[in-house]
Amino acid sequence: MMPFTEYFKQGCKPNQTGSIGLEVEHFLISRNDGRPMPYDGENGIGQLLEFLRKDFPHTYYEQDLLIALESEDVLITLEPGCQLEISLRCMNNLQEMMEIYLKTVSSILAYIHPRGYDLIYSGGLPTIGQEDVVLIDKERYRLMAQYFQNVSTRGLEMMKATAAVHVSVDYTDENDFIRKYRMANILHPLLAFLSSHTPVYAGKKNEDVLLRDSIWSHTDPARCGILPSLFEENFGFDAYARFLEQVPLIVMNDHGNFIDVKDQTCAQVAGIYGYGKTEIAHYLSMLFLDVRLKQFIEIRSADSMPPIYTQAYCALVKGLFYKQENIDTYSSLTNSIETILQAKEALRKDCYDAIVYGKPVFDLLKEMISDAKKGLTEKEKSYLLPLEELVDTKSLIPNLSIEETYQKAILMHPMESKESALRITEAIQKSELNLGGNMYTRTLHIPKIFTQEDKHRFEKIVDTTYSIFTKVIQAYKTDAQIRKLFGFSRELEELILCEPAYTSPIPICRVDIFYDEQTKDFHFCEFNTDGTSAMNENKRLNDFLPFNNIFQHDPEDYEILELVQSWADAFIQTMKEDSKVCEKARIGICDFLENAYYTELYVFEDVFQQKGYDCEVVDIRDLDYKDGKLYSQKTGKVIDVIYRRAVTRDVMEHYEQVQPFIQAYLHHDVCCIGAFQTQLVHHKQITQVLMDPVMQKFFSPDEVSFIEKHCPITYDLTQDVVEKIQDKDHWIIKPKDSYASKGVWAGIDLHQDQWNQVVSQHLDANYIVQKYITPYKTKNIDLVNFDEFKDYSNMSGLYVYNGHFAGVYSRCSDGGIISTQYNEKTIPTLFLR
């Protein structure tokens, strides 16, 4: 018996459990120039492996270069063009396998993302040609490159510009091997087509749906393609061994040194070096057939794919290759190598219109997926969903957005996702986001995920908007005509004109916008200054992300903009500009507590105390002013700094009750953050003021254009405009000075008679009517209450701390108004690094 034959027999597993082996190759690509991450250098793959080695007890070196890491479950190796390969031990549990894989990928991303690299799933290198890719400086790869240049046209492409997913299956005995091996070769064109994922190759649109197969077919006919004896009567372990022995070996590992063995065959080299396990592993690795035999069957058909498709592909292979009736069906589709080659060409030419093995490929793929389900558990069947969608829509693997990936992952893991959503809601209910009764934050299962491009867009929006706000405040203080535009009372005007002792005109605000994530265009909704809140709500939803099963499975590395500590730091920085504020200043967080988001107030009380400041939450009516100092009635202690959460409207409605605070403020005996000048922006009339020619004299032409493009048309709700607003779906009614969307009606949510009644009731009653902006919609799911996705309107609240963009508050609703009074959902906000 030939040594190889004995080796293959040792791989028989009579009690096979349906285990799958998985290898995934990846490109690590520079965002700057599209080049793969090199091995050498401060931020190279060598340093990446050093970064990862703490989690891998076994390390492997070649020519003093760290080239591989291994743990109990994972082997990380490198391909010639610095493609990174992650191999997982064989296992039966596909979910566990993907969790291990994604955990490994997350560790890799933690290193590469801050260094300007992305992990790319693609069968071919999308960014540059192979001629611009530098091989790893190893003798083995140099010798292989030299060999392939002499025997083929695309060998260097194979080495430097391809990445695959390899899936392995077990065999029980030689007969089982024969049938599964033939089946894998027969299905190779179909599996390659279904997993095709190279939309762009070498910087150009790719027209070859089986690109990787084409490259391999022109790499080396002596070692690639289909085993010539595949359908011969005596095919088996011996036949594979005989083919292997006559293959030119190219290179040999001679005690760590790779030497050129030129055209010597595997049998000739083995006659010198023998058949130890290490030697056999090397001999087998130099054979590049479509389907390879080791002590398992390695199916090498698939392009490198995003994880959601990789899991689906693994389920497909498992379901087909571990169900006897499927083996019977698909191993007998043909007994001709020529027919397999014809299948490849038909798919290249006609894609979903091809005829393969005598059937329309669409029908054949549908049958494959249906038959695969016969070999899977109920849970595993759901993993096939992404591939089912491809076939149903006659599509190839798309470049999905993260949100689309989440949607598919939720459908693939329905029970785990619902359990996860319930855990998140339970965590919310046990936190300060629960105000008691039925008043707690509602959320959805897919976070809001923005790109760095979005982040830069938000920063520019904030910069321009804040400049405009600053000019409004300055103009109000210097120009009586501007003051007339607002028409505030004498008392409020006095408060607004009282200059704060710090430079920031608006220490904190939130600019709520309707942001189109496709076009990057936006429209303003409203501006919040007085009482700006929900920073802690945002933080806590981020804190609960570890309970989100889909978030944990997503390998992307996110930037989370924390809003609580950063606001406290901005607050402290601002108050220190006031020369009257002492080193050990006491802070009072003031509001009308019956109206307050009071749990957040106590969060900030704790944060300020942690930063070394005596702080208390106090109702703004419970203050005393005497001898030039403001005191808390609750503790009798001096309040040096006020964090004003009480909105101006409430202050003015209780003007006599809050006189101690008013007098301390007017006499500059307390540092108040924020000052009443912020009311100019908070008041709903600001949109009309910004559009007024008197006000626009203070703006630059670019600022005027910015306002006119992004501010919705706004009118006072008077009899004069009733005719203009009859088309209810295009208008929304708001009070001029309110908050939390109180008294807001969107015509799109009302019947015509209801709209007419609302308009009639609020004519000349200090209301505005504003052009309704149709919000950008995304699909999301409330898994606590429903099992189906809905279209949700999105609103993005841009937090601004001392003029700088600080983060986003993301809210959704399935109605026309996005507010807690109208089925609002709040979701965590993440930025892709």
Side-chain angles (χ1 to χ4, degrees):
M1 184 183 294
M2 289 186 290
F4 287 126
T5 300
E6 177 60 30
Y7 181 82
F8 297 146
K9 283 185 178 294
Q10 291 171 6
C12 295
K13 298 177 180 62
N15 299 317
Q16 64 181 11
T17 59
S19 291
I20 291 290
L22 176 64
E23 300 174 7
V24 185
E25 297 170 347
H26 316 77
F27 296 109
L28 307 183
I29 303 298
S30 169
R31 298 189 203 109
N32 182 43
D33 59 15
R35 293 178 178 274
M37 178 180 277
Y39 182 89
D40 298 314
E42 182 180 351
N43 296 325
I45 284 185
Q47 289 303 310
L48 166 62
L49 295 178
E50 291 289 348
F51 172 80
L52 297 171
R53 66 180 296 176
K54 64 182 181 300
D55 297 321
F56 292 83
H58 306 292
T59 57
Y60 301 92
Y61 289 82
E62 189 175 305
Q63 297 173 223
D64 297 325
L65 301 178
L66 179 59
I67 60 164
L69 302 170
E70 188 173 16
S71 67
E72 181 181 354
D73 295 321
V74 179
L75 173 66
I76 296 180
T77 54
L78 302 178
E79 295 297 307
C82 282
Q83 303 96 318
L84 192 76
E85 180 180 288
I86 299 175
S87 303
L88 303 181
R89 66 173 173 85
C90 292
M91 59 184 71
N92 177 268
N93 189 321
L94 297 184
Q95 181 172 335
E96 179 186 4
M97 182 173 69
M98 291 308 297
E99 287 174 351
I100 294 170
Y101 167 70
L102 292 173
K103 182 179 179 182
T104 305
V105 170
S106 292
S107 298
I108 293 165
L109 294 176
Y111 180 88
I112 70 171
H113 275 168
R115 290 163 175 81
Y117 285 86
D118 289 321
L119 183 145
I120 302 297
Y121 298 98
S122 177
L125 180 60
T127 48
I128 61 173
Q130 63 84 14
E131 64 277 4
D132 294 321
V133 177
V134 178
L135 281 173
I136 296 178
D137 187 19
K138 294 198 296 188
E139 185 66 10
R140 171 171 38 145
Y141 294 149
R142 187 188 69 78
L143 293 172
M144 289 177 65
Q146 178 180 294
Y147 175 86
F148 287 130
Q149 281 178 302
N150 294 326
V151 301
S152 68
T153 58
R154 306 191 78 171
L156 292 182
E157 286 181 79
M158 176 277 291
M159 293 180 69
K160 299 195 287 183
T162 62
V165 168
H166 297 161
V167 174
S168 302
V169 296
D170 291 328
Y171 50 87
T172 59
D173 54 29
E174 187 170 13
N175 186 55
D176 189 46
F177 155 71
I178 293 169
R179 300 176 75 196
K180 285 179 177 174
Y181 188 81
R182 285 173 173 165
M183 174 181 172
N185 277 276
I186 293 168
L187 292 184
H188 168 79
L190 294 161
L191 295 174
F193 175 72
L194 194 54
S195 65
S196 176
H197 187 50
T198 311
V200 177
Y201 181 59
K204 298 177 182 178
K205 183 179 179 181
N206 171 42
E207 303 291 351
D208 185 351
V209 73
L210 300 185
L211 175 70
R212 276 185 54 260
D213 183 83
S214 297
I215 292 172
W216 279 107
S217 297
H218 294 84
T219 290
D220 182 4
R223 72 188 68 246
C224 300
I226 302 173
L227 197 68
S229 61
L230 177 65
F231 292 112
E232 292 178 2
E233 187 175 347
N234 63 348
F235 177 72
F237 292 149
D238 277 345
Y240 194 98
R242 284 193 298 272
F243 182 81
L244 174 60
E245 287 190 332
Q246 57 81 40
V247 168
L249 202 62
I250 307 177
V251 298
M252 183 60 199
N253 186 348
D254 185 5
H255 301 95
N257 295 313
F258 281 85
I259 61 172
D260 184 358
V261 296
K262 303 188 184 301
D263 292 330
Q264 291 183 74
T265 66
C266 178
Q268 289 171 326
V269 175
I272 301 171
Y273 289 95
Y275 292 91
K277 285 187 175 181
T278 301
E279 287 73 26
I280 288 178
H282 174 69
Y283 304 148
L284 292 172
S285 73
M286 298 306 295
L287 195 58
F288 305 143
L289 297 168
D290 293 347
V291 184
R292 192 155 61 178
L293 173 60
K294 295 181 179 177
Q295 288 186 325
F296 46 80
I297 299 169
E298 182 183 78
I299 303 168
R300 297 156 49 81
S301 309
D303 281 357
S304 181
M305 303 172 279
I308 196 166
Y309 290 100
T310 299
Q311 185 174 21
Y313 181 77
C314 288
L316 179 69
V317 171
K318 181 179 180 180
L320 290 174
F321 281 82
Y322 287 111
K323 184 71 173 176
Q324 192 59 51
E325 66 180 88
N326 290 336
I327 299 172
D328 294 342
T329 298
Y330 292 99
S331 63
S332 60
L333 277 177
T334 185
N335 58 5
S336 164
I337 291 176
E338 182 62 28
T339 306
I340 297 174
L341 297 177
Q342 289 172 357
K344 292 184 181 183
E345 291 311 310
L347 288 165
R348 284 192 179 92
K349 179 176 178 290
D350 297 324
C351 292
Y352 274 100
D353 294 325
I355 302 297
V356 176
Y357 305 133
K359 290 186 176 183
V361 72
F362 175 80
D363 295 340
L364 191 50
L365 291 172
K366 294 277 285 186
E367 290 172 13
M368 283 172 57
I369 292 171
S370 177
D371 288 339
K373 291 180 180 180
K374 300 173 184 176
L376 298 173
T377 65
E378 286 301 315
K379 184 176 182 179
E380 290 170 335
K381 291 176 185 177
S382 65
Y383 300 163
L384 292 170
L385 178 69
L387 296 184
E388 285 188 276
E389 289 185 344
L390 292 183
V391 177
D392 287 343
T393 58
K394 294 187 176 182
S395 304
L396 300 178
I397 294 174
N399 290 319
L400 296 176
S401 69
I402 298 300
E403 288 86 353
E404 290 169 330
T405 303
Y406 271 40
Q407 290 170 28
K408 294 187 187 304
I410 289 167
L411 293 172
M412 290 169 67
H413 304 274
M415 291 310 299
E416 296 97 322
S417 298
K418 184 169 279 290
E419 291 168 2
S420 169
L422 290 169
R423 285 197 299 273
I424 293 170
T425 294
E426 182 181 16
I428 290 171
Q429 291 173 337
K430 290 180 178 178
S431 76
E432 66 278 4
L433 303 188
N434 188 351
L435 299 180
N438 201 37
M439 297 175 61
Y440 60 87
T441 296
R442 267 66 171 187
T443 191
L444 302 170
H445 209 58
I446 301 178
K448 175 54 59 185
I449 301 170
F450 292 116
T451 65
Q452 289 297 311
E453 179 188 359
D454 294 320
K455 181 182 175 185
H456 296 321
R457 178 71 167 134
F458 295 155
E459 290 170 342
K460 289 181 179 179
I461 291 171
V462 163
D463 289 346
T464 303
T465 305
Y466 199 78
S467 172
I468 290 169
F469 289 167
T470 300
K471 290 180 179 180
V472 170
I473 291 172
Q474 292 169 343
Y476 185 93
K477 293 182 177 181
T478 59
D479 193 315
Q481 282 188 298
I482 301 299
R483 293 198 285 275
K484 287 182 180 178
L485 293 179
F486 286 93
F488 290 143
S489 67
R490 179 184 57 79
E491 292 83 2
L492 179 53
E493 184 175 301
E494 181 184 26
L495 291 170
I496 291 172
L497 294 175
C498 184
E499 196 74 29
Y502 47 80
T503 57
S504 177
I506 309 172
I508 182 173
C509 68
R510 194 181 72 228
V511 178
D512 289 345
I513 63 173
F514 296 114
Y515 181 68
D516 188 315
E517 294 169 37
Q518 296 298 318
T519 66
K520 310 304 179 185
D521 196 8
F522 76 97
H523 285 86
F524 289 116
C525 173
E526 62 181 17
F527 312 117
N528 297 277
T529 55
D530 301 355
T532 297
S533 65
M535 294 83 80
N536 183 61
E537 186 175 27
N538 186 288
K539 175 186 180 300
R540 295 296 278 154
L541 289 173
N542 288 331
D543 290 344
F544 299 146
L545 278 171
F547 296 119
N548 187 313
N549 66 314
I550 304 301
F551 175 79
Q552 292 305 306
H553 290 178
D554 180 27
E556 293 294 346
D557 190 13
Y558 298 104
E559 177 186 15
I560 296 177
L561 301 181
E562 193 278 334
L563 291 167
V564 172
Q565 296 288 337
S566 58
W567 165 235
D569 290 339
F571 180 99
I572 292 167
Q573 174 190 349
T574 304
M575 78 179 191
K576 284 184 174 180
E577 293 184 28
D578 188 336
S579 59
K580 289 187 176 181
V581 173
C582 59
E583 187 68 26
K584 295 294 184 181
R586 289 195 78 254
I587 299 170
I589 303 175
C590 294
D591 203 342
F592 295 89
L593 295 186
E594 72 274 15
N595 298 333
Y597 192 172
Y598 62 87
T599 57
E600 183 169 270
L601 305 188
Y602 289 103
V603 167
F604 277 108
E605 179 185 68
D606 185 57
V607 169
F608 285 124
Q609 288 174 352
Q610 290 176 16
K611 292 182 179 294
Y613 292 91
D614 194 359
C615 179
E616 65 173 286
V617 173
V618 59
D619 191 291
I620 196 169
R621 292 162 294 197
D622 295 337
L623 297 170
D624 287 327
Y625 179 55
K626 54 186 178 182
D627 302 325
K629 293 186 181 297
L630 193 64
Y631 292 87
S632 163
Q633 294 178 6
K634 185 169 71 171
T635 62
K637 295 181 179 179
V638 171
I639 300 291
D640 301 297
V641 182
I642 292 286
Y643 172 14
R644 182 169 76 92
R645 291 284 292 253
V647 300
T648 301
R649 175 182 173 177
D650 288 348
V651 169
M652 300 315 292
E653 285 183 354
H654 299 84
Y655 190 74
E656 295 304 321
Q657 294 174 271
V658 296
Q659 276 301 301
F661 163 72
I662 295 291
Q663 294 306 311
Y665 177 84
L666 291 173
H667 288 87
H668 298 284
D669 286 329
V670 68
C671 177
C672 180
I673 301 174
F676 282 91
Q677 61 193 27
T678 65
Q679 173 66 3
L680 299 175
V681 172
H682 184 84
H683 198 268
K684 299 295 188 294
Q685 196 169 4
I686 182 64
T687 306
Q688 292 165 279
V689 171
L690 293 176
M691 297 284 197
D692 195 290
V694 175
M695 183 73 248
Q696 290 194 345
K697 292 177 183 177
F698 291 85
F699 302 140
S700 70
D702 285 345
E703 288 170 337
V704 171
S705 176
F706 179 85
I707 291 166
E708 292 176 348
K709 182 178 180 181
H710 300 296
C711 286
I713 296 170
T714 306
Y715 303 114
D716 282 330
L717 185 54
T718 65
Q719 187 65 50
D720 295 339
V721 302
V722 170
E723 290 301 317
K724 295 180 181 179
I725 62 172
Q726 281 302 298
D727 190 353
K728 65 180 182 63
D729 290 353
H730 293 101
W731 299 96
I732 188 168
I733 292 173
K734 302 177 180 179
K736 285 187 176 180
D737 192 13
S738 185
Y739 53 92
S741 296
K742 295 175 182 177
V744 177
W745 290 271
I748 199 169
D749 289 335
L750 304 176
H751 297 301
Q752 188 66 50
D753 56 345
Q754 293 174 312
W755 173 254
N756 294 339
Q757 184 178 5
V758 168
V759 169
S760 176
Q761 288 176 345
H762 297 90
L763 286 175
D764 300 310
N766 215 28
Y767 275 74
I768 59 171
V769 60
Q770 202 168 66
K771 195 77 172 176
Y772 179 74
I773 305 300
T774 301
Y776 182 78
K777 295 183 184 293
T778 53
K779 287 195 179 297
N780 214 317
I781 190 165
D782 174 8
L783 283 168
V784 173
N785 298 294
F786 303 103
D787 295 321
E788 295 180 353
F789 284 88
K790 288 184 180 182
D791 286 329
Y792 282 89
S793 299
N794 286 241
M795 182 187 290
S796 301
L798 311 184
Y799 284 97
V800 188
Y801 296 167
N802 287 333
H804 300 290
F805 171 68
V808 179
Y809 181 44
S810 295
R811 290 175 288 168
C812 305
S813 173
D814 56 5
I817 298 172
I818 304 173
S819 167
T820 50
Q821 284 77 40
Y822 301 93
N823 198 31
E824 175 187 283
K825 306 290 192 293
T826 308
I827 55 179
T829 304
L830 310 168
F831 289 88
L832 284 171
R833 292 190 187 279

